[in-house]
Structures are given as structure tokens and as C-alpha cells.
């Protein structure tokens, strides 16, 4: 950015901020005033805490997302405050009043506490400095509220309400942005994102969570500076991405990530779904299909956002670009894309530092998502059904949801047939499960019985025999004790084993 451009931008920002500041005392509608007072009515703890700070000669303001959410009517039990008091003074003020205190964020100016079911964080005014190379700011305390608000990510998060006075402060036009449901930065977006590139990902996250639009100048800065996200640790990116995926509208957030180039930095497999479609080898748009599958998966949730299911829906076809092939007849195929996709999913989630159990669950769902196809042709035996259930294990209900979500054809007859086929499979699973306790498929002889019958000590041989009996159980269903023992002895003889 040239010096002239930077000066013009600064002037425009100052004019906008001054106009917003001049109108801030009149900007609240009656409904919005009631929302702020309702916040205080349902959270009397806030005023009580404010009086303690005032008695000690300090300011205290409810701030950021807490004010935004109060105005949106979605305030939770977590409250954020800012103050001119230093952390040591905050600890003195809340001593004997807070029911619990935690100081893990003290070096960053934050003291946490609990009171009457509320989780509260009090942070000293900040005026952080950034060297724009390291990943973390150099913590510097500020001396006024307006400067503290300016360092925040978006104007809708740069509003404050004093306690106990209930004075509303909105120096950067956050209330207007909230009414217009738009995300703008308090200052120039280029400056904000240079300070902390994670804010670009937060823009996409808020678009997904709050269903807000990102202002054109913010979107342009995100596109121009997408590569700066590489400065951010994988853990911070992961945490923002999970919040995005669990938002009310992750599709909007995902589109923003792809369109601005942010996804290329930490999730290039999704960008790669935009396969070229040519006139000689047409196939469905894999990227658009994937977004529909994610939306469909959300429709199958019954107990709030399910990140594992949503992530599996997002990644289920990432193996297609690497397996795309055009046959002699012009048809397009993606043989074994589920295998490649599971491997790519595992690699990407490992790079983003996801927990091992989450990586395992998501990659397993990607691996299994095609298993159902072929059932409607009558090829599945009871043995195949048992294996389907056993392989899915505790992921079975999610696999049901993912498989159903993957049907995005516009051919109503085909969609209806696939739905009927899966209904039939689920009914068949239920019937066999009722007869055989499919949730706990085990060999008909345990390890102790195997050792006793074969006369062998614990060791690899017992494991091999156990796996043989489990395969037999999957193939034929439950065996009675005599049949199981006879089969074990037949296997032992075939393996050249004899009982001493």
C-alpha cells in the first residue's frame, strides 16, 4: 500500500469513526436498549462486579462478543469484561467474592473467575504491538477503552457497556454493522490482518456462525493476504475451523475460505475438489456436490452440531482428483477414491493437530462411505451385513447419515430408489441385530477357551485362532459351543497344530 493510499485510508477511517462516535449515544433503538438492560437483569452479577471495581477506583465494561450476543438475543453463560485495572489489582478486587479463580491467562492480562453459574473473564485494557513475523502479540497494557476496542477483530465485537452505569460505547460503528449483519474491521483490514492473520479465518467463522456478510474491502484484503495465514500455528487454525464447521451455516464459511484462497493454505484438498469439467468427459461438480452433502449431513443431526459427521461429509470425495480417469467411452471414474480420500484426510487432520480419535473416526467414515452401493442389486448376504455393521462399529449411525447425505442426484426416481434401498438395509441390520446382538460381534469361544481346547499358552497363536473364529462368526452367524469347538479343532489341524 502506498503512503498516499495509506493516508487516505486513515482519513476515511477517522471520519467514519468520528461519525460513529458522534451518533453512538443516539444509535440504540428502544428494542436495543431493552436488550442491554435485559442483559443486566438476567446477569445481576455484572453490576455487582462493576460496583466492586468502581469502589476501587477502576472502570469495568462488558465488551466484545458478550455485547454483540446480548444485542442478538443469544447471550450465553460466558461474559467478557475489560478494565483499566492491572491483573494483580483485579485479583485483589475479586478476592473473597469469586467462587473460583483461574490465572492461566494472567500473563496476557486476563483473570478468569466463576460466580453464580457464570464464567467471567476480566482483561486489562490492551494496546498490543505486533512485529508481524511472530505468531503472538507483544502484550502491552493500554490506558483507555476506545484504543482497546480498536485492537479488536471486527466492529461488531468492538462495542462495550459500562457496569454499573450501563453506558454504551461504540466508537467504530459496530451497532450499524450489526443491524446490517456485515463484518468490517475497526481500522483498515490490511492493518488488522497484518497484525493477526487468524482474523481472516475468524471472518469466515463469523460468517458461518452469525450468518453475516463480509464487507467487500475485508474480503479483498483476505484474498490479497491469504498466504499470511501460514504464520499462524496449526492449533489456532484448527480451533477456528472447528467453530466454523459447527456454525449455523458452514457452507457460507467454506465458500469464503475457498474463494479467498485461505483454504489453499491449510485445507487444499477442498480447493482441489473444483475439478475441470470438459465437454467430452462431463461429470457432476465435485465441489458443489460436497457442499450439498455437508448441508444434507446437518439435516441428519439430532443433538446439535456433529463435527465428525460434518468433517467426513466435507472430506468424503477428496480422493477424487487423484483417481479421476476417463474411459474409452468418455465416462469418468474415480476408482478407489475412498481409499485415497481416507489417507488424505488422515494426513491433513494430523497436520492440523486434531486428536487421534477424531482423525480415526473421520478417516474411517471416508473409507466406508461407498460400502453401501451395490446393496440394491441384491448382492449382499447376511455375512456382508454383519461385516458392514462390525466395520462401522460405533460409527454406524454416522455412516447411515453420511451415506444418505451423499445422495445428491436430481433424478427423483434414482434418489427415491437409493433411499428405499438404504431403508431396506437399515431394516435388515435391525432384524439381524435383534437376532444376533450385532453390536458385540465376538467369536463363540473366548481366549481362555481357545487355550484350554488347544492346550497352548497365551501368545500370537491364540490371537490367530480368535480372528479365525471371528471371521467364521461374521460369515455364518452364531455357532453353538460344540460347533465352535469343532471348527477350532479343524482350523488347528489345517494349521498343523495338535493338542499335546
Amino acid at each position: 500500500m502506498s503512503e498516499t493510499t495509506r493516508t487516505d485510508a486513515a482519513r476515511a477511517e477517522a471520519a467514519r469513526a468520528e461519525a460513529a462516535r458522534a451518533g453512538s449515544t443516539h444509535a440504540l433503538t428502544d428494542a436495543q436498549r431493552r436488550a442491554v438492560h435485559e442483559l443486566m437483569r438476567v446477569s445481576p452479577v455484572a453490576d455487582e462486579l462493576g460496583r466492586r471495581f468502581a469502589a476501587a477506583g477502576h472502570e469495568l465494561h462488558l465488551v466484545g462478543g458478550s455485547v454483540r450476543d446480548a444485542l442478538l438475543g443469544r447471550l450465553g453463560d460466558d461474559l467478557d469484561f475489560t478494565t483499566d485495572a492491572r491483573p494483580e489489582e483485579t485479583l485483589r478486587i475479586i478476592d473473597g467474592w469469586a467462587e473460583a479463580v483461574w490465572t492461566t491467562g494472567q500473563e496476557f492480562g486476563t483473570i478468569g473467575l466463576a460466580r453464580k453459574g457464570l464464567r467471567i473473564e476480566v482483561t486489562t485494557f490492551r494496546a498490543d504491538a505486533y512485529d508481524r513475523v511472530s505468531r503472538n502479540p507483544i502484550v502491552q497494557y493500554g490506558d483507555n477503552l476506545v484504543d482497546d476496542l480498536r485492537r479488536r477483530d471486527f466492529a461488531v465485537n468492538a462495542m462495550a457497556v459500562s457496569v454499573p452505569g450501563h453506558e454504551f460505547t461504540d466508537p467504530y460503528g459496530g451497532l450499524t454493522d450489526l443491524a446490517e449483519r456485515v463484518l468490517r474491521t475497526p481500522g483498515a483490514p490490511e492493518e488488522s490482518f497484518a497484525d493477526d492473520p487468524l482474523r481472516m479465518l475468524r471472518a469466515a467463522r463469523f460468517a458461518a456462525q452469525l450468518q453475516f456478510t463480509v464487507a467487500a474491502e475485508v474480503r479483498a484484503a483476505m484474498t490479497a493476504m491469504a498466504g499470511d495465514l501460514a504464520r499462524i500455528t496449526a492449533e489456532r487454525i484448527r480451533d477456528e475451523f472447528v467453530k466454523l464447521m459447527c456454525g449455523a451455516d458452514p457452507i457460507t464459511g467454506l465458500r469464503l475460505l475457498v474463494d479467498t484462497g485461505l483454504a489453499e493454505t491449510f485445507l487444499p484438498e477442498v480447493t482441489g475438489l473444483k475439478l475441470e469439467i470438459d465437454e467430452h468427459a462431463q461429470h457432476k461438480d465435485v465441489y458443489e456436490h460436497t457442499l450439498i452433502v455437508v448441508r444434507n449431513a446437518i439435516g441428519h443431526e439430532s443433538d446439535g452440531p456433529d463435527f465428525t459427521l460434518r468433517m467426513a461429509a466435507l472430506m468424503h470425495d477428496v480422493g477424487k482428483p487423484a483417481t479421476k480417469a476417463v474411459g474409452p467411452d468418455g465416462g469418468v471414474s474415480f476408482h478407489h477414491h475412498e481409499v485415497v480420500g481416507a489417507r488424505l484426510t488422515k494426513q491433513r487432520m494430523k497436520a492440523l493437530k486434531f486428536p487421534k480419535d477424531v482423525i480415526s473416526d473421520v478417516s474411517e467414515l471416508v473409507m466406508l462411505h461407498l460400502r453401501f452401493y451395490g446393496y440394491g442389486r441384491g448382492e449382499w448376504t447376511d455375512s456382508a451385513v454383519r461385516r458392514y455393521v462390525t466395520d462401522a462399529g460405533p460409527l454406524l449411525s454416522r455412516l447411515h447419515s453420511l451415506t444418505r447425505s451423499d445422495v445428491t442426484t436430481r433424478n427423483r426416481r434414482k434418489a427415491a430408489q437409493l433411499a428405499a434401498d438404504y431403508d431396506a438395509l437399515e431394516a435388515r441390520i435391525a432384524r439381524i441385530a435383534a437376532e444376533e446382538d450385532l453390536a458385540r460381534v465376538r467369536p463363540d469361544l473366548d481366549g481362555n477357551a481357545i487355550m484350554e481346547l488347544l492346550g497352548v499358552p497365551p501368545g500370537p497363536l491364540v490371537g490367530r485362532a480368535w480372528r479365525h473364529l471371528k471371521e467364521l462368526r461374521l460369515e455364518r452367524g452364531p455357532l453353538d459351543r460344540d460347533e465352535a469347538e469343532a471348527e477350532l479343532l479343524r482350523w488347528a489341524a489345517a494349521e498343523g497344530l495338535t493338542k499335546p
Side-chain angles (χ1 to χ4, degrees):
M1 181 185 293
S2 69
E3 189 61 35
T4 300
T5 302
R6 185 177 290 108
T7 301
D8 290 344
R11 288 173 178 168
E13 176 200 336
R16 179 172 175 266
E18 180 59 32
R21 188 181 298 109
S24 64
T25 58
H26 306 289
L28 284 174
T29 65
D30 288 342
Q32 290 162 337
R33 287 187 185 279
R34 286 196 298 271
V36 173
H37 285 291
E38 176 66 8
L39 163 69
M40 298 308 165
R41 184 187 68 78
V42 300
S43 302
V45 171
D47 279 351
E48 188 178 337
L49 183 60
R51 285 190 289 270
R52 294 181 71 89
F53 274 81
H58 293 289
E59 302 174 39
L60 186 69
H61 305 265
L62 189 73
V63 72
S66 293
V67 176
R68 179 201 71 216
D69 288 347
L71 291 169
L72 291 173
R74 60 194 295 273
L75 184 68
D77 295 330
D78 294 335
L79 301 180
D80 292 326
F81 292 88
T82 189
T83 180
D84 59 336
R86 297 297 172 92
E88 298 78 11
E89 181 67 4
T90 295
L91 285 170
R92 189 190 67 78
I93 291 171
I94 65 173
D95 183 39
W97 181 82
E99 296 167 357
V101 176
W102 52 95
T103 59
T104 51
Q106 184 170 352
E107 65 176 306
F108 302 108
T110 299
I111 300 297
L113 62 122
R115 174 80 176 182
K116 294 184 178 179
L118 296 176
R119 288 175 57 88
I120 295 170
E121 288 192 346
V122 180
T123 302
T124 303
F125 291 158
R126 296 265 290 270
D128 297 338
Y130 297 82
D131 61 15
R132 300 187 177 179
V133 176
S134 64
R135 296 172 174 134
N136 296 312
I138 302 169
V139 176
Q140 294 183 354
Y141 294 134
D143 56 11
N144 69 87
L145 175 63
V146 172
D147 286 348
D148 177 87
L149 294 177
R150 190 188 186 285
R151 73 173 183 81
R152 295 176 182 268
D153 51 8
F154 301 104
V156 295
N157 295 331
M159 299 180 284
V161 177
S162 67
V163 288
H166 299 180
E167 294 179 1
F168 188 80
T169 302
D170 179 21
Y172 303 107
L175 188 61
T176 300
D177 289 353
L178 194 67
E180 296 176 355
R181 303 185 73 81
V182 64
L183 292 172
R184 294 187 178 90
T185 52
E190 294 83 1
E191 295 293 313
S192 179
F193 297 156
D195 283 345
D196 185 359
L198 189 68
R199 291 171 177 171
M200 295 185 286
L201 187 50
R202 286 171 64 83
R205 189 251 286 188
F206 282 127
Q209 280 187 329
L210 304 176
Q211 297 176 283
F212 279 21
T213 300
V214 176
E217 69 275 14
V218 175
R219 187 185 184 103
M222 292 167 66
T223 303
M225 302 175 68
D228 286 9
L229 194 62
R231 288 166 42 196
I232 304 301
T233 63
E235 292 85 351
R236 292 181 73 202
I237 291 174
R238 175 202 64 208
D239 291 347
E240 285 295 329
F241 178 66
V242 170
K243 292 174 183 176
L244 183 157
M245 286 297 293
C246 292
D249 182 19
I251 307 305
T252 293
L254 289 167
R255 287 192 185 280
L256 193 58
L257 292 179
V258 172
D259 293 346
T260 59
L262 286 167
E264 189 64 34
T265 302
F266 73 96
L267 201 62
E269 293 82 4
V270 173
T271 302
L273 292 173
K274 286 193 166 186
L275 300 174
E276 180 180 354
I277 303 177
D278 61 72
E279 59 180 336
H280 301 296
Q282 292 190 4
H283 54 80
K284 72 171 66 175
D285 186 321
V286 181
Y287 173 68
E288 292 297 332
H289 161 75
T290 295
L291 296 183
I292 294 172
V293 174
V294 174
R295 190 177 300 281
N296 289 347
I298 293 171
H300 284 280
E301 294 172 343
S302 59
D303 189 25
D306 183 344
F307 173 78
T308 297
L309 174 61
R310 295 185 184 195
M311 187 64 177
L314 179 64
M315 302 297 283
H316 79 285
D317 274 349
V318 295
K320 280 190 170 180
T323 58
K324 178 184 175 183
V326 180
D329 61 352
V332 177
S333 65
F334 305 97
H335 293 306
H336 303 302
H337 77 267
E338 74 281 13
V339 178
V340 175
R343 176 173 52 80
L344 292 174
T345 297
K346 186 176 295 185
Q347 291 173 349
R348 180 54 52 194
M349 294 185 72
K350 184 177 180 180
L352 287 171
K353 310 295 184 182
F354 277 94
K356 290 181 180 180
D357 59 333
V358 178
I359 296 174
S360 177
D361 286 351
V362 174
S363 57
E364 188 67 15
L365 285 169
V366 172
M367 174 70 80
L368 294 173
H369 83 275
L370 284 183
R371 183 75 69 86
F372 159 72
Y373 293 94
Y375 177 79
R377 295 194 295 269
E379 300 171 356
W380 283 35
T381 61
D382 281 358
S383 172
V385 175
R386 292 187 195 100
R387 292 179 187 278
Y388 187 78
V389 174
T390 300
D391 289 348
L395 297 173
L396 183 61
S397 63
R398 285 183 171 125
L399 182 57
H400 289 333
S401 297
L402 178 60
T403 303
R404 289 184 180 276
S405 298
D406 197 22
V407 178
T408 63
T409 178
R410 295 180 181 178
N411 184 320
R412 294 184 178 180
R413 183 175 179 180
K414 182 178 180 181
Q417 184 59 57
L418 286 169
D421 288 346
Y422 209 84
D423 287 343
L425 174 59
E426 287 199 63
R428 191 171 174 188
I429 289 172
R431 174 183 61 78
I432 297 175
E435 296 172 355
E436 303 179 11
D437 192 14
L438 276 183
R440 294 184 299 172
V441 172
R442 295 288 187 274
D444 297 286
L445 299 175
D446 63 17
N448 289 328
I450 291 171
M451 289 187 287
E452 181 181 352
L453 192 62
L454 297 184
V456 296
L461 178 60
V462 178
R464 287 169 52 202
W466 189 93
R467 287 190 291 275
H468 168 74
L469 290 175
K470 182 176 179 180
E471 285 296 312
L472 202 62
R473 171 72 169 76
L474 288 169
E475 187 67 31
R476 291 169 46 182
L479 305 177
D480 63 31
R481 179 77 180 201
D482 290 342
E483 288 177 312
E485 290 183 354
E487 289 294 343
L488 177 62
L489 292 174
R490 271 194 288 272
W491 172 84
E495 292 289 314
L497 305 172
T498 58
K499 181 177 179 179

